[in-house]
Amino acid sequence: MKRILTGIKPTGKVHLGNYFGMIREIVKLQENHQVFLMIADLHAQTVPYKPKELRFLTYELASSLLSLGINPKKTILFRQSDVPAHLYLYWILGSLSYLGELYRMHEFKEQSERYKKIGVGAGILMYPVLQAADILIYNADLVPVGRDQVQHLELARELARRFNQRFGKIFKIPEIHLNPETEKIMSLDNPLKKMSKSSPEGCLEIFASEKEIKEKIKKAITDSGDEIKYDPINKPGISNLMVIYKYLTNKSLAEIEKEFYGLGYADFKEKIISAFFEYFSEARKRKKKMTKIYIERLLTQGKRKANKVAEENLKKILKVTGLK
Ligand code: TRP
């Protein structure tokens, strides 16, 4: 069975974009892969944050993932900071990384622009090195990520090759696995931007209150005209709602156009609202039943399993690098 590793940062509550862009794919992959699913709490620390919030969002993410179908019998769910071997390898890979290649990362450029007034932490620069360590310490075959992470993964592959050249063949070169769903979910209040927590009005959190979800869908930006037609250039708002409806119902865009032919935007939104609650009703029920004790127990289990694999690899790494 091929091994997968991927990580999600606990920096906000799970929204529709996270789910269809990534989580649903992991839920499918766990059926025939050995999945290591990591809550990337150390990566969440690379920008200013509140400790209480990080702790809360770590549990929140774990309980959301479990409610949405991550099966702890199949997937090893764990906290990044619970496996010290990541940090050991991170340091070793840091010395193999060139400043030039780190400065070149899009995410570094974006984040350092955003934080230039208050100061850009070195963690932002080293971010992809830790990410490479996350992957390589498990010798993962496959890494599912969003398109925005491809550059980081290419660096991880490069660091694996460089390490192997210098110290002998220890690492597999991990494959990048992109979600086959190609349509991105855009923000409900600005369909030209990706749905994200940085724009809360347009962000549909899966476990938000019924009232909030209804309101946000009702308020979603539509376009001039009154046709329900897929045309992302001229009708980005309606096209985005169609993509959401497509994911929720499994209907094709053509079928959706037919279904709503002659009907108005308001009717369409009502249908999206019911499709949303139908799709997520089980998950929302499960989420209400999650307890902190249960989550804690699973994370402890995950910690044990992840450490076992990571430590075994670390031993080999220490040996070939001359540390042991
Ligand atoms: N940087 C990733 C993101 O923002 C999260 C992440 C951390 C990750 N470590 C990883 C993803 C290792 C894949 C593999 O989405």
Side-chain angles (χ1 to χ4, degrees), residues 9-247:
K9 271 183 288 185
T11 45
K13 294 187 180 174
V14 171
H15 59 72
L16 219 54
N18 304 137
Y19 179 73
F20 287 114
M22 175 80 165
I23 297 169
R24 186 164 75 160
E25 183 64 8
I26 305 171
V27 170
K28 283 184 200 156
L29 289 168
Q30 72 182 348
E31 294 307 320
N32 47 8
H33 295 79
Q34 181 189 32
V35 180
F36 286 78
L37 178 56
M38 173 189 86
I39 299 179
D41 52 358
L42 297 171
H43 277 108
Q45 279 190 315
T46 56
V47 297
Y49 74 97
K50 297 193 184 78
K52 245 195 192 154
E53 210 166 73
L54 177 58
R55 203 171 295 123
F56 166 76
L57 287 173
T58 296
Y59 281 98
E60 177 63 27
L61 178 56
S63 77
S64 301
L65 291 169
L66 294 163
S67 306
L68 288 166
I70 294 298
N71 180 345
K73 293 207 177 83
K74 295 183 172 150
T75 288
I76 299 172
L77 177 66
F78 68 102
R79 230 187 263 153
Q80 186 180 28
S81 62
D82 273 340
V83 189
H86 291 226
L87 292 167
Y88 222 136
L89 179 57
Y90 161 72
W91 181 254
I92 295 171
L93 294 177
S95 296
L96 290 182
S97 308
Y98 299 117
L99 281 175
E101 62 194 349
L102 300 180
Y103 284 128
R104 218 181 296 131
M105 296 287 128
H106 309 303
E107 199 162 305
F108 170 74
K109 288 185 190 165
E110 255 168 52
Q111 296 289 72
S112 53
E113 187 57 33
R114 178 168 337 162
Y115 292 102
K116 72 176 175 208
K117 283 220 182 80
I118 56 170
V120 181
I124 294 180
L125 184 68
M126 294 300 281
Y127 184 114
V129 180
L130 178 58
Q131 186 163 347
D134 297 335
I135 300 163
L136 301 179
I137 198 72
Y138 297 99
N139 254 322
D141 296 289
L142 217 63
V143 187
V145 281
R147 256 154 256 277
D148 60 335
Q149 291 296 311
V150 168
Q151 200 187 23
H152 286 167
L153 285 222
E154 271 159 6
L155 179 70
R157 286 162 58 84
E158 172 57 27
L159 291 176
R161 280 188 222 106
R162 201 174 293 162
F163 183 102
N164 286 349
Q165 245 163 31
R166 212 159 295 179
F167 301 112
K169 201 178 165 309
I170 291 282
F171 296 131
K172 282 187 190 163
I173 312 300
E175 300 283 333
I176 306 172
H177 176 90
L178 289 176
N179 190 342
E181 308 285 9
T182 45
E183 289 108 343
K184 259 193 278 182
I185 294 186
M186 311 306 276
S187 179
L188 296 180
D189 65 345
N190 176 3
L192 303 180
K193 264 183 38 196
K194 215 169 85 168
M195 182 177 283
S196 107
K197 55 206 164 257
S198 57
S199 173
E201 285 305 304
C203 182
L204 212 53
E205 286 168 0
I206 291 167
F207 301 105
S209 72
E210 205 170 315
K211 181 164 167 271
E212 182 180 320
I213 288 162
K214 285 182 180 163
E215 275 172 13
K216 281 192 181 166
I217 295 178
K218 282 188 186 151
K219 269 202 251 156
I221 296 270
T222 49
D223 314 284
S224 54
D226 53 10
E227 255 182 313
I228 315 285
K229 210 173 129 232
Y230 188 70
D231 178 355
I233 306 285
N234 298 306
K235 296 177 78 85
I238 283 296
S239 300
N240 184 38
L241 292 176
M242 286 180 69
V243 168
I244 292 174
Y245 193 65
K246 175 187 126 161
Y247 286 150

